[in-house]
Amino acid sequence: MEKVRVTSSFVIYTVLFLITFCVVFIPILPKASASSFSKVINYQGKLTDGAGVTVADGNYNMKFNLYTASTGGSPIWTNTLVGGDQIAITGGLFNVLLGATSTALTNVNFDQPLYLSINIGGTGACSLSFTC
């Protein structure tokens, strides 16, 4: 088997090339930033009654709250979706983008455990189960 001889000048040129490459190209690579992620939560669910039967199709009032504790406390974020913002439910299934409406999630600190509560208010213009 033939041996390949590596000269010191080859090693020097290779190291210089790698240093030049790093100095020129690494600063222009895109950087990940904590503020660059989309602060929208895609939430999907199935709505049933107490007997486990899917609710009738329609647009429902919903209120979403985020908490920093699993029980008690005050919500750090609230989004009430009523009127033109009601959630469409078909076959009991719904999908909502939390933070996509005027109540953005921009001030929520996601570097902590968060807990979501949901209130369902019915299909009317407003519901008695929560303030509109």
Side-chain angles (χ1 to χ4, degrees):
M1 177 179 247
E2 187 177 328
K3 293 184 179 181
V4 177
R5 182 171 175 230
V6 177
T7 63
S8 61
S9 61
F10 174 77
V11 172
I12 291 172
Y13 286 124
T14 302
V15 169
L16 286 175
F17 171 77
L18 290 174
I19 291 172
T20 304
F21 180 83
C22 291
V23 168
V24 171
F25 291 108
I26 288 181
I28 63 173
L29 293 174
K31 293 180 175 81
S33 171
S35 64
S36 67
F37 80 96
S38 174
K39 291 188 175 184
V40 176
I41 300 171
N42 182 10
Y43 185 80
Q44 302 170 12
K46 183 173 184 178
L47 190 58
T48 61
D49 63 16
V53 178
T54 57
V55 298
D57 291 354
N59 294 323
Y60 286 76
N61 299 315
M62 291 190 183
K63 182 177 183 180
F64 298 88
N65 295 306
L66 280 178
Y67 296 86
T68 56
S70 60
T71 58
S74 299
I76 61 168
W77 176 85
T78 298
N79 193 7
T80 304
L81 300 170
V82 296
D85 291 330
Q86 287 178 318
I87 304 300
I89 296 182
T90 306
L93 301 176
F94 69 91
N95 181 46
V96 61
L97 290 174
L98 302 175
T101 62
S102 60
T103 311
L105 292 163
T106 53
N107 293 326
V108 174
N109 176 6
F110 286 94
D111 292 329
Q112 62 184 333
L114 296 171
Y115 303 88
L116 178 67
S117 75
I118 306 168
N119 295 324
I120 311 297
T123 59
C126 196
S127 170
L128 298 176
S129 64
F130 55 85
T131 306
C132 297

